[in-house]
Amino acid sequence: MIPSSFTYKRAGSAEEACDLAAEYGEDAKFLAGGHSLLPLMKLRLAAPGVIIDLGGLRDLSYVTDQGSYIAIGALTRHHDVQHSDLLAREVPLLAHAAGQVGDPQVRHRGTIGGSVAHADPASDLPAVLLALDATLVARGADSTREIPIGEFFQSLFETALEPGELLTEIRVPKPAGAGWSFQKFTQRAIDWAIVGVAAQGGRVALVSMGGTPLRAAAVEAALAGGASPAEAAEHAAEGTSAASDIRASREYREHLARVLVSRALTESAARA
Ligand SMILES: Cc1cc2nc3c(=O)[nH]c(=O)nc-3n(C[C@H](O)[C@H](O)[C@H](O)COP(=O)(O)OP(=O)(O)OC[C@H]3O[C@@H](n4cnc5c(N)ncnc54)[C@H](O)[C@@H]3O)c2cc1C
């Protein structure tokens, strides 16, 4: 329960964070809200030699209207995403889902960038951002690039971020009135999802149904072909690889996916 020893560095700017990451290489890890990294360090499942604390980068905490999309700074906490009037108006799926993450303490510390960079398939916001077709902005020591979220999640806890790259912004296209829904099935109110579903118009994404957050491609294809929500939902487990674990068997997760996709599509259609 005590992490192995590490060197602590506090970055004062994104530039300094990237310079420190370049200096210390793969031995270094960024620290945002710490609500995923610190538990791993305490269990010694992660043992970075250098921690680069991003807590001083308050200029990366914002939600702004950029016309066709909403820009969200990577250090924006779940609580601020949940309570953003701009997101409630323009991207209600994201504001609502942020309010379902953990409990108030988690939402006051955890950041949207940390959630995406950590790439836990059981996390809520990565799947929500997949359904929203977001674009991620990453800054390295020498350059900045945009990564479509569909190319970001590569395998369990693995992303398209290069070593030392800092996620700085999440860009969410305005969905322009399409219906939405977020369904999260938990044992207790504050738990992680056993299965979750995010729907935005005809785009559907799944939580905890594989090694990465997934688009429910077979459901989307059925919808595009004119299937009803109930018919399309029957395809929810196709192309998935849900785990069996202490909380649910694979078969139960597949059943939940079909039920929750059906509910999500029905609610989304009612909101359109
Ligand atoms: C009790 C508990 C319950 C929770 N319940 C839920 C839940 O129901 N749903 C849910 O989705 N999540 C849940 N979480 C996770 C929570 O949302 C975390 O806050 C989130 O996953 C990680 O964000 P963070 O800012 O804490 O990141 P950190 O823990 O600081 O970092 C996580 C990883 O991302 C990297 N990283 C962080 N920021 C950046 C960046 N800007 N650029 C590049 N890399 C970066 C770090 O180096 C680290 O590898 C829970 C956590 C706890 C402790």
Side-chain angles (χ1 to χ4, degrees), residues 2-165:
I2 298 175
S4 56
S5 62
F6 56 86
T7 301
Y8 175 85
K9 297 282 178 184
R10 186 171 172 85
S13 65
E15 184 181 9
E16 189 184 356
C18 291
D19 287 347
L20 285 166
E23 182 180 344
Y24 290 102
E26 295 204 21
D27 203 24
K29 274 264 182 207
F30 294 125
L31 177 74
H35 269 51
S36 290
L37 182 57
L38 294 183
L40 287 181
M41 289 173 65
K42 287 183 173 181
L43 292 169
R44 302 226 175 178
L45 294 172
V50 181
I51 286 290
I52 303 168
D53 187 353
L54 305 176
L57 277 60
R58 296 322 299 162
D59 58 334
L60 287 188
S61 174
Y62 56 82
V63 181
T64 61
D65 192 335
Q66 299 295 320
S68 61
Y69 68 90
I70 304 294
I72 306 168
L75 270 291
T76 309
R77 298 193 192 284
H78 304 317
H79 172 88
D80 297 323
V81 172
Q82 176 188 1
H83 292 287
S84 160
D85 290 339
L86 180 56
L87 285 173
R89 195 168 59 245
E90 299 289 353
V91 196
L93 167 60
L94 181 54
H96 171 79
Q100 309 302 306
V101 173
D103 55 27
Q105 182 182 352
V106 174
R107 296 196 290 273
H108 276 279
R109 292 303 306 168
T111 66
I112 188 168
S115 180
V116 174
H118 189 56
D120 185 337
S123 287
D124 301 308
L125 301 187
V128 168
L129 293 168
L130 261 184
L132 288 165
D133 217 10
T135 296
L136 309 175
V137 182
R139 176 181 177 145
D142 303 319
S143 62
T144 296
R145 65 184 177 124
E146 294 181 11
I147 310 170
I149 195 154
E151 298 170 14
F152 188 75
F153 302 110
Q154 301 199 328
S155 61
L156 192 65
F157 302 118
E158 293 288 336
T159 72
L161 286 175
E162 298 291 342
E165 263 188 324

